[in-house]
Amino acid sequence: MRLNSLFIFFLISFLFGCSENKIQHSKDFIFGTLIDIKIYGESKVIAENVSNEIFNEFHRLHKLLHPWEKSLITDINNAISKKQPIPINNDEVINILKNTQYLEKKTKNLFNPSIGKLITLWGFHSDFYDNEVIPNQEKILKLVSSNPSMRSIEIVNGILKSNNENVQIDLGGYAKGYALDQAKKILLKNNVKNALINIGGNILASGKHGERNWLVGIQNPRKPNALATISLDPGWTIGTSGDYQRYYIINNKRYSHLINPKTGYPDNKTQSATILLPPSKNSGVHSDVFSKPLFLADKKNKAAMAKALNIGYFLIILDDNSILISESLNKKINWEEEIEKKIITIL
Amino acid sequence: MTLSTIKITDRDHQIAKLSAIAVALSLVEFFFPSPIPGVKPGIANIIILYTIFKFDMQMGVWVSLIRVFVTSIILGSFLSPTFFLSLSGAIFSLLSLMVFKNLKREYFSIISLSLIASLAHIFGQFIIVRIWIIPHNGIFYLLPIFIVSAFIFGLVTALITIKLLQLNPKK
Amino acid sequence: MKKKLLQSYKLIKIGDWFTIILFCLLIIISTKLLWNMPQGEYLEIYKNNELLATYSLNQKITKEIKGKKGKTKIVIDNGRVRFSSSPCPKKYCIHQGWITKANQTIICIPNEISISIIGAKKGYDTINY
């Protein structure tokens, strides 16, 4: 008996050892990535309901915009490849497509969601991209020289037409950012002020974590830990394009899913590009879209590209582990690791 | 022509018999799948404990080591990682028994000794795994499972050994 | 039957109770110390004692690793990981199924391949994985 009571005592103290928390945390896997929602200072019921509403919205978008499983986008792609016009009875998608046309121009074609064929060729149109073969160079160059562009698409009275049958829409670099903007609306509608939403590296910091700002870790692209942390002011958004998430390695060379639309090859001169954007209606989309041109642009053009896109806060890690950082972000950032001063260039 | 003769004592016969039973039990255990990977009841330990308490420590050491060597030779794992795991476990539990066998018998029965030995067995194996086979701290995650199983099987082994000793009391 | 049970109860002497209690304490403490683990962030793949690769757990990917006996297939599936094929005879590593939490480990001794999940050091609320 003595033993039993002692054992139960320890069991109870063990079970109740965990402390209570003001943060409600939920996770889901959508868009082929982890979605992580933290809500601060709301009751468990409210936090759960709002998180679920956000997850449901993401599932809807995922089904609507999926680049290779049957969706409105794959229907459009099929019609384009058959040179047939297709009616789109969906204003949301029409607006998204028109927006991508504008963004493609603005990023000097470095954001190009019409290169679905190239992405398929490189094997990234699959959840398990394990057939790791470098595609035939001729095929790549043929696709690149056919100049796929969102601007070859015309939408008149809800009818979509493209004069380039090599256009295959892949909103992989847009959908997560768009989802972030949708989540922002859901938080506002439910009057939830303090939340941190992370969609595969595109992060919205709404409000604060109690008395302090939300803290976001910046991934070291080659190590399993954070390189630095940044305190995000309320409403700010962060977006990263990195070669460490979807990639494969053949003969010690890394091939990531970030394919340069101008060359048809994955860029391997940059490891990651991270941008911070102030609160605005489209900050989610912009955080997703604008990190790509900063990742893909030549080293000497990166700063000019940031300026053209009006990005004041950026951090770029190059293939030799050296770091390019904007002056304003350098003031804000906390390095987690000992970083040698000489590898940092402040722009 | 000279014949070298080895004198085979009764004691040697006893060791051989007990070792044979221990090896047989180990083989039985090997061919029955265990519900949790890597967790085995170690029924051969009943024989080791029985030997130590029916006869003496030295005989227990013989039976235990013969069991380890013979079983591994039969199963073809001699000098493989599995063999060293088994050897290390056996050495550690024998050492723990040598240290603790002088605990006062009016307070501590075979139960305590069996529990201590089974715990020592686990630690002996974990040390080999940690330094040699998987030099990574991640394996300590598995430790609680093995400690719980050591507890359960240590207790059961002790109770069966006590029963056996009651049936065959010390001469 | 009852009598027999009572007998075995009497077999347990006072010092044995002491040993049993110590053992239970050890179980509780080791569980608390070693199983107090956050959700994992990364996967480390070891071949014998050599770290072969580190992968983020937040992806869907299959990796083939050449071990001592042959090819082991490891599947990472959005936060969880398992062995899907292995040349070892008993397939314990495959039967262990999915693991998700930091410090969880699957070991395949015959093929000398082991995988281990590690958590991120948390000085922040989230990371741009």
Side-chain angles (χ1 to χ4, degrees):
Chain A
M1 279 325 286
R2 217 169 10 145
L3 170 81
N4 285 345
S5 51
L6 201 71
F7 191 76
I8 288 164
F9 169 75
F10 277 110
L11 198 68
I12 289 170
S13 58
F14 175 59
L15 288 175
F16 289 86
C18 346
S19 60
E20 251 190 283
N21 215 323
K22 278 193 159 177
I23 297 254
Q24 303 294 335
H25 189 188
S26 29
K27 282 184 175 188
D28 202 347
F29 289 97
I30 317 169
F31 303 116
T33 189
L34 175 73
I35 317 281
D36 182 295
I37 300 180
K38 286 195 167 87
I39 294 179
Y40 181 91
E42 301 288 341
S43 74
K44 203 180 170 196
V45 180
I46 291 176
E48 252 172 35
N49 287 341
V50 173
S51 302
N52 285 336
E53 194 178 337
I54 293 172
F55 288 142
N56 288 338
E57 170 66 7
F58 289 0
H59 279 297
R60 182 188 72 83
L61 289 172
H62 187 47
K63 281 201 191 103
L64 183 70
L65 306 175
H66 203 291
W68 68 86
E69 281 164 19
K70 191 179 159 32
S71 67
L72 183 50
I73 295 298
T74 59
D75 289 347
I76 293 173
N77 286 339
N78 284 335
I80 291 174
S81 63
K82 288 177 196 149
K83 291 188 170 175
Q84 286 165 350
I86 177 173
I88 310 174
N89 306 314
N90 187 320
D91 288 342
E92 188 181 18
V93 171
I94 291 175
N95 286 334
I96 288 175
L97 294 180
K98 286 189 170 161
N99 189 219
T100 60
Q101 292 175 327
Y102 162 76
L103 291 169
E104 184 185 295
K105 194 175 173 190
K106 199 167 176 190
T107 59
K108 302 194 172 78
N109 302 337
L110 283 177
F111 167 72
N112 183 346
S114 72
I115 58 164
K117 278 198 171 174
L118 269 173
I119 298 171
T120 309
L121 203 57
W122 281 99
F124 289 105
H125 268 174
S126 149
D127 280 335
F128 293 97
Y129 38 97
D130 51 358
N131 58 333
E132 303 175 353
V133 196
I134 303 167
N136 181 301
Q137 189 182 11
E138 230 171 275
K139 280 187 186 167
I140 293 174
L141 293 180
K142 214 174 148 192
L143 277 178
V144 172
S145 60
S146 74
N147 268 327
S149 163
M150 290 307 284
R151 281 172 281 168
S152 74
I153 288 174
E154 218 173 67
I155 306 170
V156 184
N157 296 328
I159 309 279
L160 181 147
K161 261 194 315 195
S162 165
N163 55 27
N164 184 344
E165 79 247 40
N166 277 329
V167 164
Q168 293 282 282
I169 302 166
D170 178 341
L171 294 172
Y174 183 98
K176 286 183 278 195
Y178 182 76
L180 212 53
D181 287 331
Q182 293 294 102
K184 205 190 297 176
K185 286 183 198 161
I186 293 171
L187 290 176
L188 198 68
K189 190 187 87 189
N190 287 287
N191 207 17
V192 171
K193 286 198 182 69
N194 303 306
L196 185 68
I197 300 177
N198 188 345
I199 310 177
N202 294 284
I203 300 161
L204 167 72
S206 174
K208 295 176 129 201
H209 175 286
E211 292 299 304
R212 65 163 172 85
N213 282 346
W214 290 105
L215 284 174
V216 175
I218 302 298
Q219 176 74 50
N220 182 326
R222 295 293 178 265
K223 284 185 196 158
N225 53 350
L227 180 84
T229 56
I230 296 171
S231 153
L232 281 185
D233 288 325
W236 281 60
T237 308
I238 230 175
T240 295
S241 286
D243 67 355
Y244 50 89
Q245 192 56 257
R246 283 170 78 80
Y247 68 90
Y248 47 78
I249 289 173
I250 301 175
N251 296 333
N252 287 326
K253 206 170 164 197
R254 182 183 287 249
Y255 297 91
S256 87
H257 72 295
L258 292 161
I259 291 160
N260 190 330
K262 289 182 176 169
T263 62
Y265 279 82
D267 179 274
N268 39 33
K269 296 190 182 70
T270 309
Q271 295 178 5
S272 76
T274 299
I275 58 175
L276 267 72
L277 296 172
S280 79
K281 191 172 148 256
N282 296 324
S283 64
V285 162
H286 290 168
S287 75
D288 199 358
V289 168
F290 290 164
S291 58
K292 274 137 205 101
L294 281 200
F295 182 92
L296 293 171
D298 288 338
K299 187 183 166 187
K300 59 182 195 311
N301 293 334
K302 285 185 195 289
M305 179 58 82
K307 206 173 173 194
L309 297 172
N310 201 17
I311 296 166
Y313 295 83
F314 63 85
L315 165 71
I316 298 164
I317 301 167
L318 299 170
D319 56 345
D320 57 358
N321 296 321
S322 64
I323 293 169
L324 300 177
I325 187 169
S326 68
E327 196 187 349
S328 39
L329 184 55
N330 192 46
K331 284 177 191 155
K332 235 175 134 71
I333 201 163
N334 281 310
W335 299 106
E336 282 276 298
E337 299 172 356
E338 280 296 315
I339 303 268
E340 282 179 68
K341 282 264 152 56
K342 62 180 181 203
I343 65 164
I344 301 182
T345 312
I346 299 166
L347 297 168
Chain B
M1 200 164 76
T2 47
L3 268 174
S4 65
T5 52
I6 300 168
K7 216 177 175 188
I8 299 166
T9 59
D10 272 358
R11 194 177 156 82
D12 295 333
H13 277 294
Q14 282 292 356
I15 290 175
K17 267 192 236 166
L18 290 163
S19 303
I21 301 170
V23 169
L25 290 177
S26 295
L27 293 179
V28 166
E29 198 170 79
F30 179 82
F31 289 110
F32 279 93
S34 95
I36 308 166
V39 175
K40 283 182 183 178
I43 43 180
N45 293 329
I46 296 167
I47 304 301
I48 317 292
L49 270 182
Y50 174 79
T51 311
I52 290 170
F53 286 94
K54 176 96 186 277
F55 304 97
D56 54 54
M57 192 66 217
Q58 200 200 5
M59 226 165 126
V61 172
W62 273 111
V63 173
S64 174
L65 295 181
I66 290 170
R67 179 196 75 82
V68 171
F69 278 84
V70 173
T71 310
S72 74
I73 289 166
I74 292 174
L75 294 177
S77 60
F78 186 56
L79 296 184
S80 77
T82 326
F83 163 74
F84 285 106
L85 276 181
S86 162
L87 182 65
S88 161
I91 291 173
F92 267 77
S93 49
L94 288 171
L95 286 176
S96 74
L97 286 169
M98 286 176 192
V99 172
F100 287 100
K101 78 170 192 291
N102 296 327
L103 283 174
K104 278 226 163 63
R105 292 301 292 277
E106 61 224 83
Y107 301 125
F108 294 92
S109 73
I110 294 176
I111 294 170
S112 287
L113 287 167
S114 175
L115 284 175
I116 290 165
S118 63
L119 192 64
H121 194 268
I122 294 296
F123 281 117
Q125 297 198 322
F126 253 82
I127 285 166
I128 291 284
V129 171
R130 176 64 185 80
I131 6 190
W132 183 38
I133 299 174
I134 303 141
H136 181 261
N137 284 333
I139 56 154
F140 289 112
Y141 157 74
L142 300 171
L143 201 51
I145 298 172
F146 285 99
I147 296 178
V148 170
S149 68
F151 179 70
I152 295 165
F153 295 129
L155 211 56
V156 173
T157 302
L159 293 174
I160 296 174
T161 310
I162 291 170
K163 200 77 211 165
L164 275 179
L165 286 168
Q166 282 171 350
L167 294 174
N168 310 291
K170 202 167 179 171
K171 283 160 205 165
Chain C
M1 192 64 204
K2 250 187 182 173
K3 211 175 165 187
K4 270 188 182 170
L5 262 176
L6 218 67
Q7 269 180 349
S8 66
Y9 192 76
K10 268 187 189 159
L11 287 175
I12 305 177
K13 292 173 182 163
I14 183 129
D16 294 335
W17 284 115
F18 179 74
T19 314
I20 289 170
I21 289 170
L22 273 184
F23 217 116
C24 290
L25 274 176
L26 185 68
I27 291 172
I28 291 163
I29 290 165
S30 69
T31 312
K32 203 163 177 172
L33 281 182
L34 300 168
W35 283 5
N36 181 20
M37 51 208 170
Q39 205 73 23
E41 298 281 343
Y42 304 96
L43 178 74
E44 289 185 337
I45 302 179
Y46 286 84
K47 180 176 175 180
N48 208 348
N49 55 1
E50 173 201 359
L51 176 63
L52 285 186
T54 308
Y55 293 100
S56 164
L57 273 187
N58 301 318
Q59 58 181 330
K60 271 194 171 184
I61 185 174
T62 306
K63 285 285 153 195
E64 260 188 7
I65 312 291
K66 268 199 198 112
K68 194 183 169 192
K69 290 197 160 182
K71 278 180 181 171
T72 289
K73 251 193 190 166
I74 293 162
V75 179
I76 303 175
D77 174 30
N78 289 332
R80 52 185 200 161
V81 60
R82 72 180 180 97
F83 279 49
S84 69
S85 78
S86 170
C88 55
K90 294 207 163 185
K91 315 279 181 212
Y92 283 149
C93 51
I94 297 173
H95 293 309
Q96 207 171 328
W98 296 103
I99 56 171
T100 58
K101 298 212 155 124
N103 297 332
Q104 278 185 311
T105 297
I106 303 179
I107 298 158
C108 180
I109 291 178
N111 207 24
E112 292 182 357
I113 299 286
S114 70
I115 59 174
S116 217
I117 295 182
I118 47 175
K121 248 197 289 166
K122 284 287 172 83
Y124 39 82
D125 302 308
T126 195
I127 186 163
N128 66 335
Y129 42 76

